[in-house]
């Protein structure tokens, strides 16, 4: 019986193989499996897109604000450059055409790296260049030629820089009462300096790029006997009270704001300085030193403007004395 069973199995197997062979399929396994995993498929789109630059600016070589230069001034061109494609082939070359304000400079090479200008990060920058002198003021265009590794290229326009050849000037100085004690300097009172145009922040305080800066205000007693024999003088100094900022010495044109027997200073530490458009506002902080009093009504302060002030294009300020406008009580 066992012999007959083995023979039957063998015959069935041979029959099955014969059927497959007769179907023209050759010898195949009776059982098979197939697997498919579409998630493992991979495809890459070719890089058909040229690099692009955004944002891009011209900034004076002395640093600070970007977008402004003066005739004969030194400057850099900055750009953030990216390449398209999936994956991108990579940026091969970037050059700038700044011939609109720097004659002959139609293809200035840009180097890759890491730079910060005007608070913005950039990955391409030119070497230091020099604008035409003379060069008319106003808006002047510049552009880029960009190419990637596989030869996609473009010329990108739509960028501009403002050439400003006018020196800034001081136009006014005022105080504002900030604590309800009119006529007497105290915490919260403000001193406001006005200019003919916005001033480069870094020309006032090194490293100041915007926002609120900490400074020290001090008023010198101009007298030697209870502050009655001479004008008191105001200074804006750095946070550590170790150096005077370019505001110089402001003649308050009256005594009595601070009082002492042998002169000295009233000091307001942790004062703040902000800028809005053409104005710089200093707000008095925590008081120490000589006591305070009223200066009377209504002296006109005088501010001797220093040339150390520079505008956003790097023009130094006109010097001269600015007299407080109006006829009001200070502080």
């Amino acid at each position: 019986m066992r012999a007959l069973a083995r023979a039957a199995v063998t015959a069935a197997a041979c029959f099955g193989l014969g059927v497959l062979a007769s179907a023209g399929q050759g010898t195949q396994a009776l059982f098979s499996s197939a697997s498919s995993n579409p998630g493992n498929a991979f495809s890459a789109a070719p890089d058909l897109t040229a690099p692009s630059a955004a944002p891009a600016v011209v900034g004076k070589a002395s640093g600070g604000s970007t977008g402004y230069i003066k005739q004969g001034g030194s400057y850099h061109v900055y750009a953030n450059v990216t390449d398209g494609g999936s994956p991108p082939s990579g940026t091969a070359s970037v050059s700038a055409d700044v011939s609109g304000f720097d004659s002959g400079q139609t293809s200035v090479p840009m180097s890759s790296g890491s730079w910060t200008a005007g608070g913005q990060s950039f990955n391409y920058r030119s070497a230091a260049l020099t604008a035409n002198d003379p060069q008319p003021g106003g808006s002047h265009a510049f552009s880029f030629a960009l190419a990637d590794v596989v030869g996609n290229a473009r010329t990108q326009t739509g960028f501009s820089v403002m050439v400003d050849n006018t020196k800034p000037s001081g136009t006014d100085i005022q105080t504002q009462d900030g604590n309800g004690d009119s006529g007497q300097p105290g915490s919260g009172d403000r001193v406001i300096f006005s200019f003919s145009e916005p001033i480069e922040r870094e020309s006032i305080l090194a490293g100041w790029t915007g926002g609120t800066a900490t400074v020290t205000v001090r008023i010198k007693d101009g007298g030697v006997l209870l502050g009655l024999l001479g004008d008191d003088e105001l200074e804006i100094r750095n946070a550590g009270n170790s150096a005077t900022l370019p505001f110089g010495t402001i003649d308050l044109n009256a005594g009595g704001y601070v009082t002492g027997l042998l002169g000295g200073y009233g000091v307001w530490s942790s004062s703040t300085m902000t800028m809005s458009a053409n104005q710089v506002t200093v707000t008095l902080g925590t008081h120490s030193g000589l006591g305070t009093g009223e200066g009377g009504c209504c002296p006109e302060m005088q501010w001797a403007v220093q040339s150390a002030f520079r505008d956003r294009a790097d023009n130094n300020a006109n010097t001269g004395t600015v007299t407080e406008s109006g006829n009001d009580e200070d502080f």
Side-chain angles (χ1 to χ4, degrees):
M1 291 294 292
R2 289 179 181 174
L4 291 174
R6 290 194 195 98
V9 171
T10 301
C14 290
F15 176 78
L17 291 173
V19 171
L20 292 175
S22 67
Q25 298 179 20
T27 302
Q28 298 185 14
L30 289 175
F31 302 97
S32 64
S33 66
S35 63
S36 175
N37 187 355
N40 291 333
F42 176 80
S43 64
D47 182 356
L48 302 176
T49 306
S52 62
V57 299
V58 168
K60 57 189 182 295
S62 60
S65 303
T66 58
Y68 295 82
I69 58 173
K70 64 179 180 180
Q71 60 185 7
S74 180
Y75 68 92
H76 294 280
V77 185
Y78 298 88
N80 257 332
V81 179
T82 55
D83 187 27
S86 179
S89 62
T91 301
S93 64
V94 181
S95 62
D97 182 349
V98 292
S99 58
F101 51 91
D102 196 347
S103 298
Q105 297 285 18
T106 58
S107 185
V108 176
M110 304 273 287
S111 300
S112 62
S114 179
W115 294 273
T116 300
Q120 170 73 45
S121 296
F122 298 94
N123 60 4
Y124 275 81
R125 191 187 78 168
S126 72
L129 303 165
T130 303
N132 294 335
D133 190 3
Q135 175 65 40
S139 180
H140 298 270
F142 64 97
S143 62
F144 294 97
L146 309 107
D148 64 15
V149 172
V150 296
N152 299 305
R154 81 165 79 201
T155 297
Q156 189 172 350
T157 61
F159 305 100
S160 63
V161 62
M162 182 66 68
V163 176
D164 175 8
N165 301 321
T166 302
K167 290 185 174 185
S169 300
T171 59
D172 198 8
I173 181 171
Q174 293 286 329
T175 61
Q176 288 181 347
D177 179 29
N179 56 27
D181 189 4
S182 181
Q184 182 171 335
S187 300
D189 289 345
R190 292 174 288 274
V191 184
I192 303 169
F193 301 86
S194 297
F195 296 86
S196 58
E197 61 175 298
I199 296 298
E200 174 58 63
R201 289 180 173 89
E202 290 196 359
S203 74
I204 299 174
L205 180 64
W208 186 26
T209 59
T212 301
T214 301
V215 296
T216 301
V217 177
R218 70 180 190 181
I219 297 178
K220 180 182 179 180
D221 182 9
V224 294
L225 181 62
L226 300 177
L228 299 177
L229 301 176
D231 294 344
D232 292 346
E233 297 175 335
L234 182 144
E235 296 176 336
I236 312 297
R237 296 170 66 84
N238 62 9
N241 195 22
S242 60
T244 303
L245 302 188
F247 299 98
T249 300
I250 292 88
D251 183 354
L252 298 179
N253 215 15
Y257 291 109
V258 293
T259 56
L261 292 175
L262 297 173
Y265 293 91
V267 179
W268 285 264
S269 59
S270 300
S271 298
T272 60
M273 180 171 65
T274 59
M275 178 181 288
S276 177
N278 298 5
Q279 292 185 329
V280 176
T281 299
V282 176
T283 303
L284 276 61
T286 303
H287 174 248
S288 63
L290 295 183
T292 62
E294 292 191 19
C297 184
C298 294
E300 295 175 343
M301 296 180 291
Q302 291 186 312
W303 166 35
V305 180
Q306 310 294 304
S307 65
F309 290 112
R310 293 180 285 111
D311 65 13
R312 295 169 295 180
D314 217 25
N315 296 294
N316 289 97
N318 290 310
T319 59
T321 299
V322 174
T323 300
E324 175 189 7
S325 62
N327 186 26
D328 56 1
E329 194 171 35
D330 293 326
F331 299 103

